[in-house]
Amino acid sequence: MREETDRSQAGTARVDSWVWAVRLFKTRSAAATACRGGHVRVNGVAAKPAQQIKPGDEVRVRVHGIERIVVVQRIIVKRVGAAIAAQCLIDKSPPPPPPEVRASVPRRDRGSGRPTKRERRETDRLLGRPSS
């Protein structure tokens, strides 16, 4: 416990811990996984989970296809209420697209993507290709 207090007084924190504490992710492990997957950037550079952040850093987080851009205002390492979490960051995220635009984005029906192995065999048989 003393270790966490020392880190927050020093003015730095792990990026995975901070994005979890300010409620950008539901769990710390989800935050760490997003960092390892390249979905978290600090000052334009992909961040590893243990990267230290400080006030003034810009953090870009991609969650469920939506990019959130926040500037670190205050360092916290423990999860807090939504009102306090909002004071720890400045949200510079662009507004979400209107529902009409989101609905106009084409989506492929489930199962209409790449053919299965069985379907490929049937296609090869129809086209007279030799089976391997």
Side-chain angles (χ1 to χ4, degrees):
M1 182 125 165
R2 177 157 170 68
E3 187 178 310
E4 290 174 7
T5 308
D6 292 342
R7 274 195 308 239
S8 62
Q9 288 174 352
T12 64
R14 288 174 55 116
V15 69
D16 63 340
S17 176
W18 187 81
V19 295
W20 165 75
V22 296
R23 298 172 167 262
L24 295 177
F25 287 97
K26 287 188 176 185
T27 64
R28 183 166 171 189
S29 63
T33 302
C35 289
R36 283 190 293 275
H39 299 287
V40 178
R41 295 181 161 276
V42 176
N43 297 326
V45 179
K48 292 183 179 180
Q51 181 173 339
Q52 298 292 312
I53 59 169
K54 60 189 180 315
D57 285 347
E58 180 187 74
V59 179
R60 291 176 177 255
V61 178
R62 191 153 195 69
V63 185
H64 303 297
I66 299 170
E67 186 172 41
R68 300 275 315 266
I69 303 168
V70 296
V71 176
V72 179
Q73 187 77 10
R74 199 169 87 200
I75 296 295
I76 57 172
V77 291
K78 292 282 191 177
R79 193 152 169 113
V80 293
I84 297 171
Q87 296 172 358
C88 297
L89 57 91
I90 300 170
D91 195 353
K92 294 189 173 186
S93 304
E100 307 86 46
V101 172
R102 204 173 325 144
S104 69
V105 174
R107 291 202 176 250
R108 186 181 315 169
D109 292 335
R110 186 169 174 83
S112 67
R114 294 179 61 177
T116 63
K117 191 171 187 178
R118 180 180 180 187
E119 292 169 340
R120 284 196 310 269
R121 284 191 198 125
E122 289 173 356
T123 303
D124 288 344
R125 200 174 309 122
L126 283 171
L127 296 175
R129 293 182 188 152
S131 59
S132 13

